[in-house]
Amino acid sequence: MPTRQGTERRTVILRAAGQLFLARGYAGVSMEDVLHAVGGSKSTLYRHFADKAELFRSAVEALLDEKSAPLRSFTPEDADVAATLVALGRHFATIVLDPSSIALHRLVTAEAERIPGIGQAFFEHGPAFGQAVLGRYLQSAADQGLIRIADARAAGAQLYQAMLGDPQMRLLTNSPSRPAPSEVEHSITTAVDVFLHGTLVR
């Protein structure tokens, strides 16, 4: 079982490595660079991480977990389903549209074919986590009879993408048409409205 000191040391290494990878890219960072940033012995570094690829995966997971921490304690403040979904969308926006999140997304995409497991780690600790938060809330709303839904997990994934897919893609591709805050808000509220009410005239 890891000691408290060992856990704290690992956290320090991950934070330093995460910042280095974001600033220089995967190829631009060596284990020696990380060791120089955190100090200590090479044997300690390699006791925690077998190689740079393992360190990179762990640093990506740690960065994503830190960013998504506020969602772990999210509690709906409004009984209204639409208001709660919009509030969740705003939480997601502050995470996934942040410049450091965009940089991390680009970095992982660039290395996904070369580093086994990095794409899966990014998905599980990033998008899948947000989708699961939405799915659990939708299931809770369904259990209360507020909405009718067959697959809350799939619905959560679809709503997650509908809320922020366009502004996120524009940022990832460095589009000259960068989303303004008002556009992000419109994207979230429109997605929630269409999700809850649809567009088919009945």
Side-chain angles (χ1 to χ4, degrees), residues 12-110:
V12 169
I13 293 171
L14 288 175
R15 285 177 177 165
Q19 294 308 309
L20 285 171
F21 284 128
L22 283 174
R24 304 181 190 176
Y26 181 75
V29 177
S30 67
M31 294 292 272
E32 286 70 26
D33 291 330
V34 176
L35 186 61
H36 179 74
V38 300
S41 67
K42 184 177 292 187
S43 61
T44 299
L45 177 61
Y46 281 94
R47 185 163 63 247
H48 287 288
F49 308 99
D51 54 29
K52 188 170 80 166
E54 181 183 340
L55 175 58
F56 183 53
R57 283 193 301 272
S58 298
V60 167
E61 292 172 356
L63 283 168
L64 291 169
D65 289 345
E66 183 177 356
K67 288 177 178 297
S68 63
L71 287 171
R72 298 178 189 279
S73 58
F74 177 82
T75 302
E77 297 180 357
D78 198 313
D80 182 72
V81 175
T84 298
L85 291 176
V86 168
L88 278 168
R90 290 170 181 155
H91 273 281
F92 295 140
T94 63
I95 297 169
V96 304
L97 303 183
D98 181 78
S100 63
S101 296
I102 295 297
L104 181 61
H105 195 148
R106 289 174 176 160
L107 177 59
V108 169
T109 300

Side-chain angles (χ1 to χ4, degrees), residues 7 15 27 36 54 68 76 85 113 137 143 161 192 195 200:
T7 300
R15 285 177 177 165
H36 179 74
E54 181 183 340
S68 63
L85 291 176
E113 291 190 4
Y137 173 70
D143 292 342
Q161 293 301 322
V192 170
F195 177 80
L200 183 66

